[in-house]
Amino acid sequence: LRSFLDNLAGTVEGVSLFEPFESLCPSGNPHCSTHRGSEALFSDGNHLTNAGAIELYPRLQQFLGRLDPSARR
């Protein structure tokens, strides 16, 4: 699935792929945690808690700011 999405984002005009993993598990960390301090980042296997969403927000905002406004519909 990942290679399909990467290919889609690389070949179809107007398609961009946001990768949240780096925000939640930054490179250079020897271990990836489901918590940041005492705050849980996930409410289950697929959903962020409010703390997880807040952790992700700055990177998502930066990603959205880089998108070409003419590609938005």
Side-chain angles (χ1 to χ4, degrees):
L1 179 61
R2 179 57 197 230
S3 63
F4 170 77
L5 293 174
D6 286 338
N7 184 50
L8 188 66
T11 58
V12 178
E13 185 178 345
V15 173
S16 297
L17 182 62
F18 175 70
E19 178 54 68
F21 189 75
E22 184 66 27
S23 298
L24 300 171
C25 190
S27 59
N29 282 0
H31 304 284
C32 191
S33 177
T34 58
H35 288 71
R36 195 70 84 238
S38 63
E39 295 278 346
L41 299 177
F42 299 92
S43 59
D44 61 26
N46 297 310
H47 298 92
L48 294 171
T49 61
N50 287 345
I54 289 168
E55 188 78 23
L56 188 66
Y57 179 73
R59 187 162 178 188
L60 178 60
Q61 187 177 34
Q62 186 179 54
F63 170 80
L64 293 173
R66 289 192 309 257
L67 294 178
D68 180 0
S70 67
R72 297 180 193 154
R73 295 189 178 149

